[in-house]
Amino acid sequence: MGLDIHVNKLSVWYRGHQALRQVSLDVNAGEVLALIGPSGCGKSTFLRALNRLLDEDLGARRTGQVMMEGVDVLAPEHDITALRRRVGMVFQTPNPFPFSIFDNVAYGLRLQGTNDAAALRRTVEESLRQAALWDEVRGKLRRPALALSGGQQQRLCIARALAVGPEVLLMDEPTASLDPLSTARIEELIGNLRGRYTIVLVTHNLRQAARVSDRTAFFAHGSLVEIGPTRQIFTVPQDPRTEEYLTGRMES
Amino acid sequence: MVLHLVALVLTGVAAALFALIIVSLVRQGLPSLTWRFLVGSPNERAGDNGIAPELMNTAFLIGVTWLVTAPLGLLVAIFLREYGFRRRSAVVRPLNHLRATLLSAPTVVVALVVYRVAVGWWHWPVSLATGCLTLAVINWPFMVTVAEQALASVPQSYREASLGLGATRFATAVRVVIPAALSPLIEGWGLAVARLAGESAALVITAGVNVSRHFSLWGPGETLAVHIWYIRTEGVSVNRDAEAAATGVILLLLIAAVVWSSARVARMLSGGEPR
Amino acid sequence: MSMVRDRAPTRITAAATATFAVVGLGLIAALLLGAWPLIGEPRPLANLLGGLWDPLRGAYGLAPFFVGTVVVTATAMALTLPFSLAVAVVLSRPLPDGVRLGATRVLTVLTAVPSVIFGWWGLLAVVPWVRARFGGAGFSLLAAGLVLAIMVTPTLSLLFYQALRSVPRAFRDGSAALGATPDQTLVRMELPCALPLLIQAVLIAVARAVGETMAVQMVIGGQTVLPTGLTSPGATLTTQILTDMSIFPPGTRGHAVLDVMALVLMVGMYLLVRLAERWVAMP
Ligand SMILES: Nc1ncnc2c1ncn2[C@@H]1O[C@H](COP(=O)(O)OP(=O)(O)OP(=O)(O)O)[C@@H](O)[C@H]1O
Ligand SMILES: [Mg+2]
């Protein structure tokens, strides 16, 4: 399942400083697309444009289109809330709310007005299972989420995003703050979610991109340099800048 | 968005109310704001008041109290913060309760006690000196709090670096911690001046509602704030409303200038990042 | 070596701290000492809790002042709460840095506005308004509550704002990314997250309201019988201390009762401090 996304000439400025330049690319339904590139090249900005979290930033201005099912979701009249339900997001540092595990996962559902206890329990369990956290927290759902380990917190945040039934998952360096073991579990999880969700994954870990993604896009200085099947990007990159970056010769 | 709209409206109402208060103060006071008013002495029957002695008394009370309590507050804070006591230790915790309780003590209660001790036991007159003593007791807990919070804002690693080089705790506090805490210290010290300038209830009791012709430590010492209260509640001058308002304008200007400039200096010292 | 060098400054700071403690405890002790003579009288407690205030005849019931303090404080808090919260909410939205800085600085200056100024405003506008609207003299518990509400609003707004600002940006982003509207984020995430600090802010404001003397004294009317309603004049513990200070010199029974009132206020403040500490680690 998942959802096709067509990004058309997306540009973003922060108070006059251009962070994205005319980026056009397609994300296919159900694939894992990795975004790589040097620090500050606009990867996070790209993700935040897709679910319009950029709108919360006073200094940000953007042009271009992001089409989902033939609708430009960046159009001012498009319903932001509906968009964000379809497009979930996982952040670089796990950010569970200081509530119980259950209340964290149920948060998005309750926003939509679901208050039926049985329905909430069902969805919470299902989401935690999908996020491969259920076995570790079953019977402890009333415990504070902040008592979990960093890796568990990140999977909780994934469960929280899954609970509202999104079609797209945006992940901004989800393993950047985790130890290798927790990282491996998240990567495994991404593998399991592939096909059911369209996943856009930002990562600085090139091996991670190689391990989990179907296609990879390389960004530099706010522009899309190259996009293609991951294997091809990593073995026979078309652009010299990509090759420089992959071989570690590019200065960020 | 409904809640946020309501919040915006309520904020607008509150802002308008405060603007109204300030504007009416200025409008009522403006006619009396003359040079004569600033340099003259109160003279109720002539209906031609001045506030020079009050200005003088206010400056004197604030100055002396500030000079006494700022170092005293800093010393207590250094003892509580810089000698390595744990926050919940048997020394720090009760002292913190005491400090916090004194900080919120009604000033009139402090005045009640100082009156008993200074006027009752020591036979001091109701005077500038007694007022200073009262303000010092009122302000000391505030100065301790300001200094404690300022010291607390300095990262522990600064101290470790200095102590690791063999500096004593006091030397570390004076050479490393206080310079690093200067910005919040100055901001807090500015607020202390404003608090002192605005104090009235305690001074009515201890410094009195009169001024003497010749400035004296042992003479009555009415301040600007007390003057406003006095002419507005008990005064008989014909244009007492305008005089009260004019005195209020002067007092407000004084306070705003101190708070604003200390905030500015603090911001400059902190490298300009918003706090 | 370092111990020796440090000895003199250590003694000085320790001595300053000891003096501080002595002054603080001495304050309480002086109040106890002043209140002591009342213990020797017949049934002091019943007398103190009574509703009749006539110290010259030996009746010193404090009920009118307790009622005054509680009613005025409650009125002021109820009135200021929505406004202060509103200001804090508006300030904690994404705003240009300059606007936010300017607004917080104006608020800081407003917290320092002397109480006599608010009392002055109360006499100019609030008392006449109450008189016109509800009849009577205008000097009333309601007028005092109104003036006090205006007076604590800057302080409470600033404290509320600091409480809301303590909620990390990552939480707001997380909530928004789940499709929460700003209202939903506020009610379901920010307010619950900031609750301990919000409660602490309210307690600090209550302490300030209970302790306020001048602004209240100017508009409350100073009547020492039990108030019959919000619009009837009254007195609070603090205003009565101020008013009667000049009437009863130290050593008289009336003054001893003032000491009792002051003690009650100090105990109240101590309880508020401990209560605030229970909610959050101390400021
Ligand atoms: N809120 C903001 N205000 C102003 N400038 C911003 C803001 N967010 C990002 N920028 C700037 O925009 C550019 C792109 O930032 P972005 O966070 O998208 O990069 P990134 O590729 O995610 O970097 P990293 O790999 O370090 O996370 C950077 O130069 C950054 O400094
Ligand atoms: Mg980034």
Side-chain angles (χ1 to χ4, degrees), chain A residues 23-41:
Chain A
V23 173
S24 299
L25 61 77
D26 290 349
V27 193
N28 304 322
E31 76 168 346
V32 177
L33 173 69
L35 301 187
I36 60 172
S39 192
C41 67

Side-chain angles (χ1 to χ4, degrees), chain C residues 147-200:
Chain C
V147 169
L148 209 46
I150 299 173
M151 195 176 144
V152 296
T153 296
T155 310
L156 194 55
S157 305
L158 219 51
L159 290 170
F160 276 169
Y161 166 61
Q162 279 158 6
L164 286 181
R165 211 181 45 167
S166 76
V167 178
R169 171 82 195 266
F171 287 1
R172 292 187 190 190
D173 280 355
S175 175
L178 287 166
T181 63
D183 279 359
Q184 286 177 321
T185 299
L186 178 68
V187 173
R188 290 166 184 265
M189 197 275 293
E190 291 177 276
L191 292 181
C193 284
L195 192 64
L197 286 174
L198 292 173
I199 290 178
Q200 199 185 38

Side-chain angles (χ1 to χ4, degrees), chain C residues 243-270:
Chain C
T243 318
D244 279 1
M245 256 310 285
S246 47
I247 304 178
F248 305 117
T252 60
R253 182 164 56 189
H255 196 93
V257 182
L258 298 187
D259 284 324
V260 172
M261 292 155 100
L263 266 180
V264 169
L265 284 167
M266 292 307 287
V267 171
M269 292 306 164
Y270 177 72

Side-chain angles (χ1 to χ4, degrees), chain B residues 1-4 11 18 24-25 28 79 83 93 96-97 104 112 116 168 170 200 204 229 267 275, chain C residues 6 9-10 17 34 86 90 93 105 120-121 124 150 165 182-183 187 214 217 245 255 259 274 277 282:
Chain B
M1 286 323 276
V2 184
L3 286 179
H4 281 77
T11 304
F18 276 94
S24 31
L25 187 74
Q28 281 223 347
F79 184 77
Y83 278 88
R93 224 167 91 94
N96 257 325
H97 290 152
S104 42
L112 189 70
R116 167 187 302 281
T168 63
F170 190 76
S200 45
V204 168
W229 175 78
R267 198 169 132 81
R275 298 197 334 111
Chain C
D6 212 13
T10 304
T17 310
V90 169
R93 290 312 90 180
R105 208 168 284 173
W120 171 88
W121 167 256
L124 181 81
I150 299 173
R165 211 181 45 167
D183 279 359
V187 173
M214 226 34 160
Q217 191 266 353
M245 256 310 285
H255 196 93
D259 284 324
R274 296 305 298 265
E277 185 193 38
M282 287 220 292

